[in-house]
Amino acid sequence: MGALLTEALDWPQRMPLELRPGNGETLDSVCGGEVRVLQRRRGYRFTLDPVLLAHFAVYEAGAVRGRLMDLGTGCGIIPLILARRLGCGSITGLELQPRLFSLAERNVHLNRCEREVSLVRGDLRCVDRLFQKAGFSYVLCNPPYRAREQGRISTDMEKALARHEISCELQDVARSAAYLLRGRGSFCVVYPASRLSELMAVLHAAKLEPRTARMVHSRAGRPAKLVLMHAVKGAPTGLTVLPPLVIHANDEQAFSREVSAMVE
């Protein structure tokens, strides 16, 4: 544990880091250019989902003050949006995969978020070895969506671990969030709408009470694809279902006004 914590504390001083895209990498931007992200062309690349989750956590769960944790931070997209666009500080990103951790490290420096964002390389299933219990007010996660036996698993390991429950399952994520959160702390997650009943059951089992849910639709009139869920540790029962979030407007490609405000 000591070695991992030391690595987390020392990483901002290990310079220089290459902040330009290298071979096989792209430099992309989101949130009107406020957030710039180095990614690999053929590895795992972030989607709209973490953008929606970061905004949901702040505007619906109040994740502005207090310590925040992003489980499985990938390239660091959620902490960067929280810090650069949404004004949050004291954010920790936990990432298992070495190559993604390296990208997250470079992206934090690229966006000059060293004061707001710290990174720890480790397994979310082992948070009890890495962090003090009940040390966070908010935990966010954009977990793998597909069960191990569901669909074709990518031959690219980054994509496989990000998309399928290979290195962790939903129960692992919920248990880790419950360990990290203080009493009445908030857990925010984005998950497939088709697995909503499973999500609710897992949250209940971890004593994370679902408090606010918002269904996400690709277009108005179509079935929901995702659900944004806010659960509170040790809270009484009582779920509020918010009006739906529609991604695309009538135009085939254009985002809705609400989503445009997040990404542009």
PDB file of all heavy atoms in Angstrom, residues 53-68 82 86 88 137-138 140 182 186 188 212 230 232:
ATOM      1  N   LEU A  53     -22.356  12.155 -17.113  1.00  0.00           N
ATOM      2  CA  LEU A  53     -22.239  11.789 -15.701  1.00  0.00           C
ATOM      3  C   LEU A  53     -21.644  12.917 -14.877  1.00  0.00           C
ATOM      4  O   LEU A  53     -22.124  13.195 -13.771  1.00  0.00           O
ATOM      5  CB  LEU A  53     -21.385  10.524 -15.573  1.00  0.00           C
ATOM      6  CG  LEU A  53     -21.126  10.028 -14.155  1.00  0.00           C
ATOM      7  CD1 LEU A  53     -22.430   9.690 -13.448  1.00  0.00           C
ATOM      8  CD2 LEU A  53     -20.190   8.821 -14.167  1.00  0.00           C
ATOM      9  N   ALA A  54     -20.602  13.554 -15.375  1.00  0.00           N
ATOM     10  CA  ALA A  54     -19.972  14.637 -14.620  1.00  0.00           C
ATOM     11  C   ALA A  54     -20.962  15.769 -14.364  1.00  0.00           C
ATOM     12  O   ALA A  54     -21.054  16.285 -13.239  1.00  0.00           O
ATOM     13  CB  ALA A  54     -18.749  15.153 -15.372  1.00  0.00           C
ATOM     14  N   HIS A  55     -21.710  16.155 -15.376  1.00  0.00           N
ATOM     15  CA  HIS A  55     -22.690  17.228 -15.196  1.00  0.00           C
ATOM     16  C   HIS A  55     -23.836  16.799 -14.280  1.00  0.00           C
ATOM     17  O   HIS A  55     -24.316  17.583 -13.449  1.00  0.00           O
ATOM     18  CB  HIS A  55     -23.235  17.669 -16.565  1.00  0.00           C
ATOM     19  CG  HIS A  55     -22.274  18.493 -17.354  1.00  0.00           C
ATOM     20  ND1 HIS A  55     -21.220  17.955 -18.068  1.00  0.00           N
ATOM     21  CD2 HIS A  55     -22.198  19.844 -17.542  1.00  0.00           C
ATOM     22  CE1 HIS A  55     -20.545  18.931 -18.657  1.00  0.00           C
ATOM     23  NE2 HIS A  55     -21.113  20.079 -18.356  1.00  0.00           N
ATOM     24  N   PHE A  56     -24.291  15.560 -14.408  1.00  0.00           N
ATOM     25  CA  PHE A  56     -25.343  15.045 -13.536  1.00  0.00           C
ATOM     26  C   PHE A  56     -24.890  15.070 -12.075  1.00  0.00           C
ATOM     27  O   PHE A  56     -25.653  15.459 -11.181  1.00  0.00           O
ATOM     28  CB  PHE A  56     -25.685  13.615 -13.960  1.00  0.00           C
ATOM     29  CG  PHE A  56     -26.697  12.924 -13.095  1.00  0.00           C
ATOM     30  CD1 PHE A  56     -28.051  13.188 -13.237  1.00  0.00           C
ATOM     31  CD2 PHE A  56     -26.298  11.990 -12.148  1.00  0.00           C
ATOM     32  CE1 PHE A  56     -28.994  12.540 -12.435  1.00  0.00           C
ATOM     33  CE2 PHE A  56     -27.219  11.345 -11.351  1.00  0.00           C
ATOM     34  CZ  PHE A  56     -28.573  11.617 -11.492  1.00  0.00           C
ATOM     35  N   ALA A  57     -23.657  14.656 -11.823  1.00  0.00           N
ATOM     36  CA  ALA A  57     -23.151  14.612 -10.454  1.00  0.00           C
ATOM     37  C   ALA A  57     -23.139  15.994  -9.814  1.00  0.00           C
ATOM     38  O   ALA A  57     -23.432  16.143  -8.628  1.00  0.00           O
ATOM     39  CB  ALA A  57     -21.750  14.008 -10.437  1.00  0.00           C
ATOM     40  N   VAL A  58     -22.803  17.009 -10.591  1.00  0.00           N
ATOM     41  CA  VAL A  58     -22.740  18.367 -10.043  1.00  0.00           C
ATOM     42  C   VAL A  58     -24.128  18.987  -9.920  1.00  0.00           C
ATOM     43  O   VAL A  58     -24.507  19.500  -8.863  1.00  0.00           O
ATOM     44  CB  VAL A  58     -21.820  19.251 -10.908  1.00  0.00           C
ATOM     45  CG1 VAL A  58     -21.960  20.722 -10.528  1.00  0.00           C
ATOM     46  CG2 VAL A  58     -20.376  18.800 -10.754  1.00  0.00           C
ATOM     47  N   TYR A  59     -24.925  18.922 -10.976  1.00  0.00           N
ATOM     48  CA  TYR A  59     -26.191  19.649 -10.994  1.00  0.00           C
ATOM     49  C   TYR A  59     -27.339  18.914 -10.324  1.00  0.00           C
ATOM     50  O   TYR A  59     -28.300  19.550  -9.868  1.00  0.00           O
ATOM     51  CB  TYR A  59     -26.562  20.008 -12.434  1.00  0.00           C
ATOM     52  CG  TYR A  59     -25.625  21.041 -13.024  1.00  0.00           C
ATOM     53  CD1 TYR A  59     -24.794  20.732 -14.097  1.00  0.00           C
ATOM     54  CD2 TYR A  59     -25.531  22.317 -12.475  1.00  0.00           C
ATOM     55  CE1 TYR A  59     -23.917  21.671 -14.621  1.00  0.00           C
ATOM     56  CE2 TYR A  59     -24.660  23.259 -12.988  1.00  0.00           C
ATOM     57  CZ  TYR A  59     -23.863  22.935 -14.062  1.00  0.00           C
ATOM     58  OH  TYR A  59     -22.989  23.869 -14.568  1.00  0.00           O
ATOM     59  N   GLU A  60     -27.263  17.586 -10.230  1.00  0.00           N
ATOM     60  CA  GLU A  60     -28.338  16.845  -9.582  1.00  0.00           C
ATOM     61  C   GLU A  60     -27.934  16.290  -8.226  1.00  0.00           C
ATOM     62  O   GLU A  60     -28.782  16.148  -7.346  1.00  0.00           O
ATOM     63  CB  GLU A  60     -28.817  15.693 -10.488  1.00  0.00           C
ATOM     64  CG  GLU A  60     -29.328  16.133 -11.844  1.00  0.00           C
ATOM     65  CD  GLU A  60     -30.529  17.069 -11.769  1.00  0.00           C
ATOM     66  OE1 GLU A  60     -31.200  17.096 -10.717  1.00  0.00           O
ATOM     67  OE2 GLU A  60     -30.776  17.776 -12.759  1.00  0.00           O
ATOM     68  N   ALA A  61     -26.662  15.959  -8.039  1.00  0.00           N
ATOM     69  CA  ALA A  61     -26.210  15.401  -6.761  1.00  0.00           C
ATOM     70  C   ALA A  61     -25.422  16.409  -5.929  1.00  0.00           C
ATOM     71  O   ALA A  61     -25.046  16.099  -4.798  1.00  0.00           O
ATOM     72  CB  ALA A  61     -25.364  14.149  -7.006  1.00  0.00           C
ATOM     73  N   GLY A  62     -25.152  17.586  -6.481  1.00  0.00           N
ATOM     74  CA  GLY A  62     -24.470  18.629  -5.724  1.00  0.00           C
ATOM     75  C   GLY A  62     -22.997  18.383  -5.471  1.00  0.00           C
ATOM     76  O   GLY A  62     -22.448  18.827  -4.461  1.00  0.00           O
ATOM     77  N   ALA A  63     -22.339  17.683  -6.390  1.00  0.00           N
ATOM     78  CA  ALA A  63     -20.930  17.321  -6.194  1.00  0.00           C
ATOM     79  C   ALA A  63     -20.018  18.498  -6.496  1.00  0.00           C
ATOM     80  O   ALA A  63     -19.304  18.506  -7.507  1.00  0.00           O
ATOM     81  CB  ALA A  63     -20.583  16.132  -7.075  1.00  0.00           C
ATOM     82  N   VAL A  64     -20.017  19.479  -5.624  1.00  0.00           N
ATOM     83  CA  VAL A  64     -19.189  20.664  -5.825  1.00  0.00           C
ATOM     84  C   VAL A  64     -18.110  20.757  -4.759  1.00  0.00           C
ATOM     85  O   VAL A  64     -16.944  21.010  -5.059  1.00  0.00           O
ATOM     86  CB  VAL A  64     -20.053  21.945  -5.819  1.00  0.00           C
ATOM     87  CG1 VAL A  64     -19.178  23.174  -5.988  1.00  0.00           C
ATOM     88  CG2 VAL A  64     -21.102  21.882  -6.917  1.00  0.00           C
ATOM     89  N   ARG A  65     -18.487  20.530  -3.500  1.00  0.00           N
ATOM     90  CA  ARG A  65     -17.537  20.611  -2.401  1.00  0.00           C
ATOM     91  C   ARG A  65     -17.311  19.229  -1.810  1.00  0.00           C
ATOM     92  O   ARG A  65     -18.146  18.353  -1.911  1.00  0.00           O
ATOM     93  CB  ARG A  65     -18.043  21.566  -1.329  1.00  0.00           C
ATOM     94  CG  ARG A  65     -18.207  23.001  -1.826  1.00  0.00           C
ATOM     95  CD  ARG A  65     -18.721  23.905  -0.736  1.00  0.00           C
ATOM     96  NE  ARG A  65     -18.881  25.274  -1.205  1.00  0.00           N
ATOM     97  CZ  ARG A  65     -19.357  26.271  -0.478  1.00  0.00           C
ATOM     98  NH1 ARG A  65     -19.743  26.045   0.771  1.00  0.00           N
ATOM     99  NH2 ARG A  65     -19.465  27.482  -0.986  1.00  0.00           N
ATOM    100  N   GLY A  66     -16.159  19.082  -1.160  1.00  0.00           N
ATOM    101  CA  GLY A  66     -15.813  17.792  -0.593  1.00  0.00           C
ATOM    102  C   GLY A  66     -14.947  16.987  -1.544  1.00  0.00           C
ATOM    103  O   GLY A  66     -14.786  17.333  -2.712  1.00  0.00           O
ATOM    104  N   ARG A  67     -14.384  15.902  -1.044  1.00  0.00           N
ATOM    105  CA  ARG A  67     -13.498  15.061  -1.847  1.00  0.00           C
ATOM    106  C   ARG A  67     -14.307  14.190  -2.794  1.00  0.00           C
ATOM    107  O   ARG A  67     -15.323  13.602  -2.408  1.00  0.00           O
ATOM    108  CB  ARG A  67     -12.637  14.185  -0.938  1.00  0.00           C
ATOM    109  CG  ARG A  67     -11.690  14.953  -0.033  1.00  0.00           C
ATOM    110  CD  ARG A  67     -10.837  13.994   0.774  1.00  0.00           C
ATOM    111  NE  ARG A  67      -9.912  13.247  -0.095  1.00  0.00           N
ATOM    112  CZ  ARG A  67      -9.326  12.107   0.273  1.00  0.00           C
ATOM    113  NH1 ARG A  67      -9.593  11.564   1.438  1.00  0.00           N
ATOM    114  NH2 ARG A  67      -8.489  11.500  -0.559  1.00  0.00           N
ATOM    115  N   LEU A  68     -13.833  14.107  -4.040  1.00  0.00           N
ATOM    116  CA  LEU A  68     -14.489  13.314  -5.067  1.00  0.00           C
ATOM    117  C   LEU A  68     -13.563  12.214  -5.553  1.00  0.00           C
ATOM    118  O   LEU A  68     -12.361  12.425  -5.690  1.00  0.00           O
ATOM    119  CB  LEU A  68     -14.892  14.182  -6.261  1.00  0.00           C
ATOM    120  CG  LEU A  68     -15.937  15.277  -6.034  1.00  0.00           C
ATOM    121  CD1 LEU A  68     -15.266  16.595  -5.692  1.00  0.00           C
ATOM    122  CD2 LEU A  68     -16.791  15.456  -7.278  1.00  0.00           C
ATOM    123  N   LEU A  82     -14.804  17.883 -14.332  1.00  0.00           N
ATOM    124  CA  LEU A  82     -15.167  18.391 -13.012  1.00  0.00           C
ATOM    125  C   LEU A  82     -14.316  19.594 -12.624  1.00  0.00           C
ATOM    126  O   LEU A  82     -14.818  20.580 -12.075  1.00  0.00           O
ATOM    127  CB  LEU A  82     -15.014  17.296 -11.966  1.00  0.00           C
ATOM    128  CG  LEU A  82     -16.012  16.130 -12.025  1.00  0.00           C
ATOM    129  CD1 LEU A  82     -15.609  15.033 -11.048  1.00  0.00           C
ATOM    130  CD2 LEU A  82     -17.437  16.605 -11.730  1.00  0.00           C
ATOM    131  N   LEU A  86     -16.563  22.521 -14.383  1.00  0.00           N
ATOM    132  CA  LEU A  86     -17.565  22.580 -13.323  1.00  0.00           C
ATOM    133  C   LEU A  86     -17.033  23.106 -11.996  1.00  0.00           C
ATOM    134  O   LEU A  86     -17.767  23.174 -11.015  1.00  0.00           O
ATOM    135  CB  LEU A  86     -18.184  21.185 -13.135  1.00  0.00           C
ATOM    136  CG  LEU A  86     -18.886  20.662 -14.400  1.00  0.00           C
ATOM    137  CD1 LEU A  86     -19.302  19.210 -14.222  1.00  0.00           C
ATOM    138  CD2 LEU A  86     -20.092  21.523 -14.746  1.00  0.00           C
ATOM    139  N   CYS A  88     -14.838  22.051  -9.701  1.00  0.00           N
ATOM    140  CA  CYS A  88     -14.602  21.183  -8.548  1.00  0.00           C
ATOM    141  C   CYS A  88     -13.104  21.109  -8.243  1.00  0.00           C
ATOM    142  O   CYS A  88     -12.267  21.306  -9.104  1.00  0.00           O
ATOM    143  CB  CYS A  88     -15.128  19.776  -8.812  1.00  0.00           C
ATOM    144  SG  CYS A  88     -16.907  19.695  -9.151  1.00  0.00           S
ATOM    145  N   SER A 137     -16.711  12.344  -0.116  1.00  0.00           N
ATOM    146  CA  SER A 137     -18.104  12.798  -0.102  1.00  0.00           C
ATOM    147  C   SER A 137     -18.870  12.337  -1.335  1.00  0.00           C
ATOM    148  O   SER A 137     -20.092  12.171  -1.282  1.00  0.00           O
ATOM    149  CB  SER A 137     -18.156  14.332  -0.029  1.00  0.00           C
ATOM    150  OG  SER A 137     -17.551  14.800   1.162  1.00  0.00           O
ATOM    151  N   TYR A 138     -18.149  12.147  -2.454  1.00  0.00           N
ATOM    152  CA  TYR A 138     -18.773  11.744  -3.717  1.00  0.00           C
ATOM    153  C   TYR A 138     -17.905  10.704  -4.405  1.00  0.00           C
ATOM    154  O   TYR A 138     -16.683  10.829  -4.425  1.00  0.00           O
ATOM    155  CB  TYR A 138     -18.956  12.946  -4.651  1.00  0.00           C
ATOM    156  CG  TYR A 138     -19.828  14.031  -4.094  1.00  0.00           C
ATOM    157  CD1 TYR A 138     -19.269  15.084  -3.366  1.00  0.00           C
ATOM    158  CD2 TYR A 138     -21.207  14.013  -4.271  1.00  0.00           C
ATOM    159  CE1 TYR A 138     -20.063  16.085  -2.834  1.00  0.00           C
ATOM    160  CE2 TYR A 138     -22.006  15.011  -3.742  1.00  0.00           C
ATOM    161  CZ  TYR A 138     -21.435  16.035  -3.018  1.00  0.00           C
ATOM    162  OH  TYR A 138     -22.223  17.013  -2.490  1.00  0.00           O
ATOM    163  N   LEU A 140     -17.898   8.739  -8.233  1.00  0.00           N
ATOM    164  CA  LEU A 140     -18.485   8.628  -9.571  1.00  0.00           C
ATOM    165  C   LEU A 140     -17.901   7.409 -10.260  1.00  0.00           C
ATOM    166  O   LEU A 140     -16.757   7.026  -9.998  1.00  0.00           O
ATOM    167  CB  LEU A 140     -18.185   9.866 -10.415  1.00  0.00           C
ATOM    168  CG  LEU A 140     -18.957  11.153 -10.147  1.00  0.00           C
ATOM    169  CD1 LEU A 140     -18.592  11.765  -8.801  1.00  0.00           C
ATOM    170  CD2 LEU A 140     -18.709  12.173 -11.250  1.00  0.00           C
ATOM    171  N   ARG A 182     -18.407   8.590   2.973  1.00  0.00           N
ATOM    172  CA  ARG A 182     -18.837   8.899   4.331  1.00  0.00           C
ATOM    173  C   ARG A 182     -20.344   8.684   4.423  1.00  0.00           C
ATOM    174  O   ARG A 182     -21.028   8.503   3.414  1.00  0.00           O
ATOM    175  CB  ARG A 182     -18.499  10.355   4.662  1.00  0.00           C
ATOM    176  CG  ARG A 182     -19.170  11.360   3.745  1.00  0.00           C
ATOM    177  CD  ARG A 182     -18.972  12.776   4.230  1.00  0.00           C
ATOM    178  NE  ARG A 182     -19.554  13.755   3.334  1.00  0.00           N
ATOM    179  CZ  ARG A 182     -20.846  14.053   3.245  1.00  0.00           C
ATOM    180  NH1 ARG A 182     -21.738  13.411   4.012  1.00  0.00           N
ATOM    181  NH2 ARG A 182     -21.279  14.966   2.401  1.00  0.00           N
ATOM    182  N   SER A 186     -22.578  10.594  -1.596  1.00  0.00           N
ATOM    183  CA  SER A 186     -23.305  10.334  -2.833  1.00  0.00           C
ATOM    184  C   SER A 186     -22.497   9.507  -3.819  1.00  0.00           C
ATOM    185  O   SER A 186     -21.298   9.742  -4.027  1.00  0.00           O
ATOM    186  CB  SER A 186     -23.691  11.656  -3.510  1.00  0.00           C
ATOM    187  OG  SER A 186     -24.647  12.355  -2.734  1.00  0.00           O
ATOM    188  N   CYS A 188     -22.665   8.407  -7.862  1.00  0.00           N
ATOM    189  CA  CYS A 188     -23.290   8.706  -9.146  1.00  0.00           C
ATOM    190  C   CYS A 188     -22.719   7.763 -10.202  1.00  0.00           C
ATOM    191  O   CYS A 188     -21.499   7.619 -10.314  1.00  0.00           O
ATOM    192  CB  CYS A 188     -23.033  10.159  -9.552  1.00  0.00           C
ATOM    193  SG  CYS A 188     -23.806  11.361  -8.455  1.00  0.00           S
ATOM    194  N   THR A 212     -32.136   9.666  -6.957  1.00  0.00           N
ATOM    195  CA  THR A 212     -32.499  10.404  -8.160  1.00  0.00           C
ATOM    196  C   THR A 212     -32.073   9.608  -9.382  1.00  0.00           C
ATOM    197  O   THR A 212     -30.953   9.108  -9.435  1.00  0.00           O
ATOM    198  CB  THR A 212     -31.802  11.780  -8.203  1.00  0.00           C
ATOM    199  OG1 THR A 212     -31.976  12.458  -6.969  1.00  0.00           O
ATOM    200  CG2 THR A 212     -32.394  12.644  -9.313  1.00  0.00           C
ATOM    201  N   HIS A 230     -28.258   8.566  -9.022  1.00  0.00           N
ATOM    202  CA  HIS A 230     -27.641   9.157  -7.836  1.00  0.00           C
ATOM    203  C   HIS A 230     -28.155   8.393  -6.627  1.00  0.00           C
ATOM    204  O   HIS A 230     -29.368   8.352  -6.382  1.00  0.00           O
ATOM    205  CB  HIS A 230     -28.006  10.644  -7.739  1.00  0.00           C
ATOM    206  CG  HIS A 230     -27.698  11.268  -6.412  1.00  0.00           C
ATOM    207  ND1 HIS A 230     -28.533  12.196  -5.818  1.00  0.00           N
ATOM    208  CD2 HIS A 230     -26.660  11.100  -5.564  1.00  0.00           C
ATOM    209  CE1 HIS A 230     -28.024  12.567  -4.665  1.00  0.00           C
ATOM    210  NE2 HIS A 230     -26.883  11.925  -4.490  1.00  0.00           N
ATOM    211  N   VAL A 232     -27.452   7.488  -2.313  1.00  0.00           N
ATOM    212  CA  VAL A 232     -26.888   8.078  -1.098  1.00  0.00           C
ATOM    213  C   VAL A 232     -26.673   6.989  -0.058  1.00  0.00           C
ATOM    214  O   VAL A 232     -27.577   6.187   0.210  1.00  0.00           O
ATOM    215  CB  VAL A 232     -27.805   9.187  -0.548  1.00  0.00           C
ATOM    216  CG1 VAL A 232     -27.249   9.749   0.758  1.00  0.00           C
ATOM    217  CG2 VAL A 232     -27.964  10.308  -1.573  1.00  0.00           C
TER     218      VAL A 232
END
